[in-house]
Each structure stands twice: as structure tokens, then as C-alpha cells.
Amino acid sequence: MAFRPLTARAPAVLLREAKPLKAIFGHAQRLGHLQRLLESQLQPAAREHCHVASWREGTLLLIVTDGHWATRLRYQQKRLQRQLQAFDVFASLTRIQFKVQPPTVQQGAVGHTMDLSVNAAETIQATADGITDPKLRAALERLASHAKPKA
């Protein structure tokens, strides 16, 4: 008995026909639609900090990136609830819950970057050469090694 692999199918066909994938895809589309409706009622600055997590039994659960935005949105909760109830999808909305969940992917830290000139690096290295404390000397040498090489 020889093994015959299944023929490959296009991803779009799988999403339409495979029941588990179809259910997941439908739920994702529904959440995307709810997210767009929510964003239409939020202030532009709050949009990136607030995401729809679930909508069931009259309760809308929103995930907020930090406590600051959760507090701001709680102050606006009644207004937001009234505005969302105007949409057919949210007609039965009775309560909005906010949960704080920081993003799992840290965005690139906006750090203070400085370019160290070769002249500054030489000065730091000369200072390190005159230091007797081994830890301080090593720290200065590491700092001097960050110089931009001459082009």
C-alpha cells in the first residue's frame, strides 16, 4: 500500500471549505468588523491603544495597552456606549469592560543614540589607560569601542 499525499489546495479554498479554519476565519472577520466600528467612534489618538477582544451577551470586552488609556476610556464609557448602540451590531450593548494588557511585542525603544567620534574615542581610551581601577577602565574601554570608524 503506497502513501499518496493529498493534493495541495490554495489557501483561499482551505479558508472557505475546511470547517475549523472557516470558523476561525469567520470569527476573525467579525472581530475586524467590530474593530472598525469601534475605531470610528474613538478619538484618533486612542485607536491604536484599544482593541476588541470579544462581544457576547451584551458585553463588549476591550483590550487596552496601558492603564492610562484604560482610565481615559472609562471616563468616556457612557458616551462610547451610546454611540456604539447606534450600530445594529451593538444594539444590545449593555456594558463595556476594559482590560489592560501591554503589547507582547515591544516596539523598538526610542533610545538616545549618539555617534561617538574617533577623536572622542581616542580621548576616552587615553583616559582609560591612566585608570588603575579595573572595572572603571573596562567600562571606559567599552565606551571607546563604540566610535564610528573613519570612512
Side-chain angles (χ1 to χ4, degrees):
M1 179 179 339
F3 173 72
R4 289 189 183 159
L6 297 173
T7 57
R9 297 191 308 181
V13 172
L14 286 173
L15 288 174
R16 276 184 270 127
E17 294 175 2
K19 288 196 181 218
L21 290 177
K22 186 177 180 179
I24 292 170
F25 186 65
H27 186 68
Q29 284 185 317
R30 183 173 172 250
L31 285 178
H33 176 66
L34 297 175
Q35 181 69 33
R36 286 188 298 278
L37 292 176
L38 173 69
E39 287 177 356
S40 73
Q41 301 306 312
L42 289 176
Q43 298 170 346
R47 291 177 187 157
E48 67 183 86
H49 300 284
C50 185
H51 304 282
V52 175
S54 70
W55 163 238
R56 71 177 70 97
E57 299 173 4
T59 301
L60 179 64
L61 176 61
L62 301 177
I63 301 296
V64 186
T65 58
D66 59 46
H68 164 78
W69 282 104
T71 301
R72 287 183 67 170
L73 290 168
R74 281 187 188 106
Y75 278 117
Q76 301 172 22
Q77 183 172 353
K78 292 294 182 194
R79 176 196 58 82
L80 182 60
Q81 185 173 337
R82 279 192 314 273
Q83 289 175 325
L84 289 175
Q85 284 171 335
F87 296 111
D88 291 338
V89 177
F90 290 117
S92 62
L93 179 63
T94 57
R95 112 184 229 215
I96 299 176
Q97 283 185 308
F98 298 97
K99 297 283 181 179
V100 176
Q101 181 178 346
T104 55
V105 176
Q106 290 295 328
Q107 301 185 358
V110 180
H112 182 61
T113 60
M114 290 191 327
D115 294 331
L116 189 63
S117 69
V118 174
N119 187 26
E122 289 170 355
T123 303
I124 293 171
Q125 184 61 51
T127 304
D129 293 340
I131 301 293
T132 56
D133 182 4
K135 289 183 180 180
L136 179 58
R137 181 182 184 132
L140 288 172
E141 288 173 343
R142 277 194 312 273
L143 180 61
S145 70
H146 291 290
K148 276 186 137 182
K150 289 183 180 177

